[in-house]
Amino acid sequence: MKVGVFPTIVGRQGGGVETYEINLIRGLAEMGRDPMHVFCLSQQAADSLGILRPNIHFEILRPKSRWLSIPFSLPPAIKRSGVDLVHATFVPPLRSSVPLLVSVHDICVHTHPELYPAAIRWRLNTLLYNRLHQFDHILCPTVTTKDLLVEQFRVPESRVSVSPYAVDSHFRPVHGDELDGILSGHGINQPYLLFAGNLRVGNKNLIRLLKAYHKFQKAGERDVKLVLTGRRSWRSKELDAAIDKLELRESIIETGWLPPEHLPALYSGATMLLFPTLCEGFGLPALESMACGTPVLTSNVSCLPEVTGGAALLVNPLDVDEIADGIIQLYRDVALQSDLRKKGLEWVQHFSWQRTAHDTTDAYHRLLSNM
């Protein structure tokens, strides 16, 4: 079997989807000697994957503009490559001469359209959601996402598989000089609370998070900083306005995007991860935090109860008071911190990128056997 893979986000500081693309392709490459053809939008994308194997061939699509290379260059490249199927890890080609498998990471734009700018909604609906019935097979990262997709879009369940994300091996508890060196390099002192992920006001629920943190401070914890790590996305002005209105400018440290090797230290040094988002397809920061031995406070909606498996403190993300009460409880209850730390380290062992690669390969075989 010769598989074609088309990653769209790799090399663009693309958060969870980029992490998935890198680790999936590396995992597939390590599984065996079957040839794999990787269609890349740039040389930077190919370099970011860091794979040098004789059975892996990289093809850089031209021109550099993805708005031209995806519709015009990718379909004939697929046909020339001789692959048996093509796996689009985010944006699918407009047509394919071979069976097409597509990763659908979430359907939040469909279930919560009010959280996304109109341009993003149009783009994802046009490229992805309105075409779901054209795809020969679909991969989802959680059972929650799969069930919603089947229910909302009436896609036959037989054409949908689940392949969970996982945590890189470098996510581990960090201590001592290594921890101190990385934290000081970013101007961070303990104690602090951490949010990790793209800084999107909408689905990441950042305004309610800021309001809850403000209540936490007013409860007597004014010396505890809030660290926001991740790349800013749309609606940044609303984020700045909320920070200024709540007079939190001196209490917040914003790191921007960080190289992956720095993240374990930021997780490890935090008292807790705050991740009360409104909608996720998976929610990698929750697992990454657990792998570093840091307690997690997250939402009781979407796929987050499934992903965290009883090893996190769950709150209603629409209720600022409940988020704040959860932060105060977890910050002050050392026994609860210890319990969640232990449960998290145990729970995260259920996930591996090797399993993701095996699940994905099973879906490839399932697709070809049904053609």
Side-chain angles (χ1 to χ4, degrees):
M1 177 175 63
K2 183 179 182 181
V3 174
V5 183
F6 173 52
T8 315
I9 306 299
V10 65
R12 295 168 52 194
Q13 300 178 3
V17 175
E18 180 179 33
T19 300
Y20 165 78
E21 291 179 338
I22 290 172
N23 286 282
L24 171 66
I25 294 172
R26 288 177 179 173
L28 293 173
E30 292 171 0
M31 279 188 64
R33 298 181 179 178
D34 288 341
M36 183 164 60
H37 195 105
V38 184
F39 306 93
C40 292
L41 292 171
S42 67
Q43 186 62 51
Q44 181 183 359
D47 294 342
S48 296
L49 291 167
I51 301 172
L52 290 174
R53 288 175 177 263
N55 60 320
I56 310 299
H57 176 75
F58 291 94
E59 179 172 352
I60 311 302
L61 299 174
R62 296 286 185 262
K64 290 183 178 181
S65 170
R66 64 182 184 273
W67 304 116
L68 295 175
S69 59
I70 293 176
F72 298 112
S73 301
L74 181 56
I78 292 171
K79 189 171 184 178
R80 289 194 309 268
S81 67
V83 297
D84 298 302
L85 64 89
V86 65
H87 177 185
T89 56
F90 187 50
V91 175
L94 294 181
R95 62 186 188 279
S96 175
S97 53
V98 298
L100 175 62
L101 182 146
V102 179
S103 292
V104 175
H105 301 281
D106 64 70
I107 60 169
C108 295
V109 168
H110 176 76
T111 58
H112 297 78
E114 72 282 359
L115 302 178
Y116 296 84
I120 298 294
R121 296 199 304 268
W122 179 86
R123 190 182 307 162
L124 286 175
N125 284 327
T126 301
L127 296 175
L128 189 61
Y129 301 122
N130 293 345
R131 301 176 56 209
L132 290 175
H133 286 275
Q134 300 175 18
F135 308 148
D136 298 296
H137 203 81
I138 296 170
L139 274 180
C140 296
T142 58
V143 174
T144 303
T145 302
K146 173 188 175 181
D147 290 347
L148 279 171
L149 190 147
V150 170
E151 175 189 343
Q152 297 284 327
F153 293 95
R154 300 293 187 265
V155 176
E157 190 167 357
S158 60
R159 285 172 43 206
V160 187
S161 298
V162 176
S163 178
Y165 296 163
V167 177
D168 296 4
S169 59
H170 71 278
F171 284 98
R172 73 204 192 290
V174 178
H175 307 287
D177 291 343
E178 182 183 1
L179 175 65
D180 295 339
I182 293 177
L183 294 185
S184 63
H186 295 289
I188 300 171
N189 294 309
Q190 295 172 296
Y192 64 91
L193 314 180
L194 177 68
F195 171 87
N198 286 328
L199 301 184
R200 296 174 182 164
V201 167
N203 68 310
K204 298 304 182 183
N205 204 26
L206 292 180
I207 303 302
R208 290 189 183 91
L209 173 57
L210 292 175
K211 291 179 178 178
Y213 170 67
H214 183 247
K215 287 180 175 289
F216 167 76
Q217 281 201 322
K218 291 180 69 175
E221 310 297 348
R222 292 191 178 276
D223 293 333
V224 183
K225 301 284 189 180
L226 174 61
V227 175
L228 305 177
T229 185
R231 186 168 60 91
R232 282 203 177 203
S233 192
W234 54 78
R235 295 168 63 180
S236 285
K237 290 183 179 179
E238 293 180 42
L239 179 60
D240 285 322
I243 291 172
D244 291 335
K245 183 177 181 180
L246 294 168
E247 299 180 343
L248 293 175
R249 187 64 64 181
E250 299 302 316
S251 299
I252 290 177
I253 299 172
E254 192 174 336
T255 69
W257 181 87
L258 292 181
E261 59 269 21
H262 286 197
L263 288 175
L266 262 73
Y267 284 122
S268 297
T271 304
M272 70 186 78
L273 174 76
L274 304 180
F275 200 64
T277 66
L278 296 174
C279 185
E280 295 288 334
F282 190 84
L284 262 178
L287 275 193
E288 291 172 346
S289 183
M290 289 179 181
C292 296
T294 299
V296 174
L297 179 146
T298 191
S299 303
N300 61 4
V301 299
S302 189
C303 65
L304 290 160
E306 175 189 347
V307 169
T308 55
L313 180 61
L314 303 181
V315 296
N316 178 359
L318 297 175
D319 189 328
V320 171
D321 289 335
E322 187 170 329
I323 300 171
D325 290 344
I327 298 172
I328 294 167
Q329 177 191 5
L330 186 52
Y331 186 79
R332 295 177 177 174
D333 191 336
V334 177
L336 178 59
Q337 292 178 23
S338 178
D339 181 57
L340 292 182
R341 186 175 296 113
K342 178 183 177 183
K343 288 180 177 177
L345 287 168
E346 292 173 350
W347 174 248
V348 78
Q349 301 305 313
H350 291 83
F351 301 86
S352 73
W353 288 116
Q354 289 78 16
R355 173 190 168 187
T356 304
H358 278 285
D359 289 345
T360 302
T361 301
D362 288 345
Y364 294 163
H365 288 290
R366 184 177 173 186
L367 167 58
L368 291 177
S369 67
N370 290 331
M371 296 305 294

